[in-house]
Amino acid sequence: MTHYYRPLVQTDPNRPTDALPLAGGWAWFNEVEVLSRDSAPQRVSARQAPAEVLERLTMSRPNIAGLSMDRPQIMGILNVTPDSFSDGGQHDAPEKALLHARAMLGQGADIIDIGGESTRPGAAEVPVDEEIRRTAPVIEAIRGEMSVPISIDTRKEPVARAAVNAGGDLVNDVAGFTFDPGLAPYCATHGLPVCVMHAQGDPETMQQDPRYDDVLLDVYDFLDERVAALEAAGVDRAQIMVDPGIGFGKTVEHNLALLKRIALFHALGCPILLGVSRKKFIGTLGNAPEPADRAAGSVAVALAAVAQGVQVLRVHDVFETRSALNLWQAVRG
């Protein structure tokens, strides 16, 4: 029987002397929830977990793309597409994109994530040449003016190559490095940090009746396998972030199950990136049909994730997220 170990995370700054640090960051734990596919969850002392699990849960995460993983980081979304679900067409020219990048940096973004292919439900694949045309000039313009880390949101090796040549620092693949077999070796050869995300199906089909045996454990197993595959391809595990892929082939119930126990993914020994910003389930639960009205709900979920030790928040609303995070940290002490 395979067991999974979720740290029961605490953020009280008055931590006990025997508390275990979570990923070397701001949170801690003394207990874990033991999960399996065959029995009910059990709550036990963290010291009952296997030694290798405790090592992955407690060890400090190295910097990624120059970002310290011992504090929450904000990844600002810059979609240079005509058809993204929330901001399509708003920044799809280099001049407009550069203005938005400046604004996000001023609002407190730590890294900017640039995407030239919409991955909204039902979106069609964008040809490689078009995706490069949309993204590379924007990255070059930003890099010419700012030192902020830049992530390229792509499934394709030629797009990543053009982005890195233009000044990109990190590859964020929503397909979990399963779409283009050349992408992982390219990242390994060039020593690039990566983010590997779970998705069930591709954007065109992913929301057509998604099903899981156990969504939390299925997503964990997928990410565990993909991290191992990236390591086998030569990517340093210390340079891998994981993303459970909220909204990518998931129902509202699936999303909530992942968010409720997202701390499980710390057991992979990698920083966790969470992208929930303005997604449909936030509109459904928060009574906000229009994506632009979902900032409050997006921030609420982001803060709940930070309270579980999530290191990177991928957001549209940088100002609101940074402001809320500053207050959360101040009140927490």
Side-chain angles (χ1 to χ4, degrees):
M1 181 189 300
T2 300
H3 291 103
Y4 305 77
Y5 298 87
R6 179 178 73 94
L8 299 178
V9 183
Q10 305 289 325
T11 60
D12 187 337
N14 299 310
R15 65 173 69 182
T17 55
D18 62 344
L20 296 171
L22 180 65
W26 59 94
W28 55 273
F29 65 106
N30 264 336
E31 294 181 296
V32 295
E33 183 181 44
V34 184
L35 304 168
S36 80
R37 296 180 182 274
D38 306 307
S39 59
Q42 289 186 311
R43 181 171 179 156
V44 302
S45 166
R47 287 162 176 81
Q48 292 181 238
E52 62 271 21
V53 173
L54 281 184
E55 182 180 4
R56 285 190 176 177
L57 288 173
T58 59
M59 66 184 187
S60 296
R61 308 302 191 238
N63 291 0
I64 290 187
L67 300 178
S68 172
M69 293 293 108
D70 64 1
R71 65 179 180 87
Q73 301 283 352
I74 294 177
M75 174 183 276
I77 298 169
L78 180 50
N79 288 319
V80 288
T81 60
D83 57 344
S84 291
F85 81 95
S86 175
D87 55 358
Q90 294 182 21
H91 316 299
D92 59 345
E95 300 79 11
K96 292 192 290 184
L98 184 59
L99 284 173
H100 192 55
R102 287 177 191 149
M104 289 195 293
L105 190 61
Q107 292 168 349
D110 299 296
I111 180 171
I112 294 174
D113 188 48
I114 296 172
E117 179 180 58
S118 175
T119 51
R120 77 188 193 286
E125 182 181 342
V126 173
V128 167
D129 289 348
E130 174 62 14
E131 194 175 342
I132 292 173
R133 185 195 68 77
R134 293 176 181 180
T135 55
V138 171
I139 293 171
E140 186 173 10
I142 294 172
R143 178 54 67 234
E145 182 178 308
M146 310 172 204
S147 60
V148 63
I150 299 172
S151 168
I152 178 66
D153 179 356
T154 188
R155 303 179 285 173
K156 302 161 191 168
E157 184 272 338
V159 179
R161 182 184 299 273
V164 171
N165 289 340
D169 303 290
L170 181 149
V171 175
N172 178 18
D173 183 0
V174 300
F177 292 83
T178 63
F179 183 83
D180 183 340
L183 184 54
Y186 171 76
C187 293
T189 299
H190 293 271
L192 295 170
V194 302
C195 181
V196 55
M197 194 193 84
H198 173 274
Q200 187 179 93
D202 57 37
E204 286 191 82
T205 62
M206 64 188 182
Q207 289 306 108
Q208 297 174 8
D209 194 28
R211 294 173 182 265
Y212 297 87
D213 292 330
D214 181 311
V215 65
L216 180 71
L217 303 185
D218 290 355
V219 171
Y220 183 94
D221 285 347
F222 172 88
L223 291 174
D224 190 25
E225 184 274 326
R226 295 315 302 159
V227 170
L230 286 166
E231 280 191 294
V235 179
D236 186 348
R237 192 185 195 100
Q239 294 299 294
I240 300 173
M241 291 194 290
V242 296
D243 179 350
I246 300 299
F248 282 78
K250 282 118 184 152
T251 64
V252 171
E253 290 74 20
H254 293 147
N255 291 331
L256 292 176
L258 289 166
L259 290 167
K260 185 176 181 180
R261 286 185 162 92
I262 195 169
L264 173 67
F265 298 102
H266 291 296
L268 293 168
C270 302
I272 302 170
L273 182 148
L274 180 67
V276 297
S277 183
R278 300 185 184 179
K279 289 191 172 175
K280 185 177 180 180
F281 84 99
I282 290 176
T284 300
L285 297 176
N287 192 28
E290 295 300 320
D293 296 330
R294 297 173 189 168
S298 301
V299 167
V301 177
L303 291 182
V306 170
Q308 293 196 60
V310 168
Q311 290 94 344
V312 183
L313 304 171
R314 183 179 181 273
V315 306
H316 296 88
D317 303 293
V318 173
F319 172 80
E320 290 84 351
T321 307
R322 175 60 68 194
S323 180
L325 194 53
N326 288 348
L327 270 294
W328 184 86
Q329 290 170 315
V331 170
R332 179 178 155 270

